[in-house]
Amino acid sequence: MAEGAEVREAEGLTTPDALLAVRAGEGDAEAFETLVRRHLPALLPLASRLLGGDRAGAEEVVQEAFVEAWRRLPEFRGQTPFPSWMRGIVTNRCRRPRRARRSAAGDEGVTATVMELVRREPRPGGPDEGAAARVLRAVADALPGVRAGGCRISPVADAADRGPLRVRLEVAAGLNWTVPELAGRLREEIVAAARDRLGLDVRVVDIAVVDLLLDHDHGP
């Protein structure tokens, strides 16, 4: 695995699937790559078994399944765990007629192909909004025992274009934080980062703690 991929996965180890899925649904390709690397090893054997041991065909199916998941993530609401959702997509794709198979490429080859395809399909909202959201999520991730999920940036109600902004950030947090302490710290950090690093005037910061980050969340 390349050094950059190792760093991204290390950063993602403590981030629950649900938050990574929200990030990916907002266009964060690195969050999606963490999901791909985390769940690819379990999905390939499933697809191979359903296809009668066809490894190359299984890789093709799983690749297509992840691309489909990327397209559908904005509508994914986490009613089922992400691994179960992916198993359903893979199973349905295995039931479709298959064309001639290419040679097996291995886990890294499948991951690289998936990410090449998904990066061609940016999410709605524009690159500027996505880049700003990544900066503000990184502010939360820098705090000990905190992992950011969804980040929405919108004008304050009734404000003109390029006026004051509202940020809504979803996070998972460890037991080392109380909700008031975390919300207060994040509001300060986000307002400062938006001003100093992005040149944005953030007036309202809504923090939603959507998950508890426990010690056992440090693995796939």
Side-chain angles (χ1 to χ4, degrees):
M1 185 185 298
E3 181 179 353
E6 290 177 345
V7 171
R8 287 193 295 273
E9 177 61 14
E11 292 173 344
L13 284 177
T14 56
T15 307
D17 285 345
L19 293 188
L20 288 170
V22 171
R23 289 188 183 192
E26 294 176 356
D28 187 335
E30 290 188 357
F32 189 68
E33 184 171 354
T34 298
L35 288 170
V36 173
R37 292 183 180 280
R38 186 178 288 179
H39 297 291
L40 181 68
L43 292 172
L44 282 173
L46 169 65
S48 181
R49 184 168 66 253
L50 292 173
L51 294 175
D54 181 354
R55 171 74 184 193
E59 290 181 353
E60 182 179 328
V61 164
V62 172
Q63 171 187 307
E64 293 171 351
F66 273 117
V67 173
E68 178 182 342
W70 171 257
R71 293 169 179 159
R72 292 173 53 190
L73 271 171
E75 66 191 50
F76 177 66
R77 295 293 180 267
Q79 293 92 339
T80 59
F82 182 81
S84 300
W85 188 60
M86 283 302 310
R87 285 195 294 271
I89 296 175
V90 168
T91 299
N92 288 335
R93 284 197 164 268
C94 283
R95 293 171 178 162
R96 301 179 184 181
R98 310 305 304 167
R99 58 182 179 272
R101 313 294 198 267
R102 53 174 171 71
S103 299
D107 290 14
E108 285 301 307
V110 176
T111 300
T113 302
V114 168
M115 297 314 301
E116 179 183 354
L117 292 171
V118 303
R119 286 190 171 98
R120 298 175 186 172
E121 300 188 25
R123 290 279 179 257
D128 292 343
E129 182 179 340
R134 283 193 292 274
V135 169
L136 299 183
R137 280 193 292 253
V139 168
D141 285 344
L143 297 180
V146 180
R147 288 294 177 269
C151 182
R152 297 287 185 181
I153 303 171
S154 60
V156 173
D158 301 325
D161 290 345
R162 300 186 180 277
L165 298 173
R166 173 190 297 269
V167 171
R168 185 181 191 279
L169 182 68
E170 297 178 347
V171 299
L175 296 173
N176 54 312
W177 293 97
T178 66
V179 172
E181 288 172 342
L182 178 59
R185 177 71 178 276
L186 280 173
R187 288 188 181 105
E188 292 178 0
E189 298 279 353
I190 286 172
V191 168
R195 180 189 64 239
D196 299 338
R197 298 169 61 183
L198 300 170
L200 299 177
D201 179 13
V202 172
R203 301 284 181 87
V204 181
V205 180
D206 299 320
I207 304 297
V209 180
V210 298
D211 203 354
L212 184 63
L213 205 61
L214 300 174
D215 290 341
H216 61 67
D217 289 326
H218 290 263

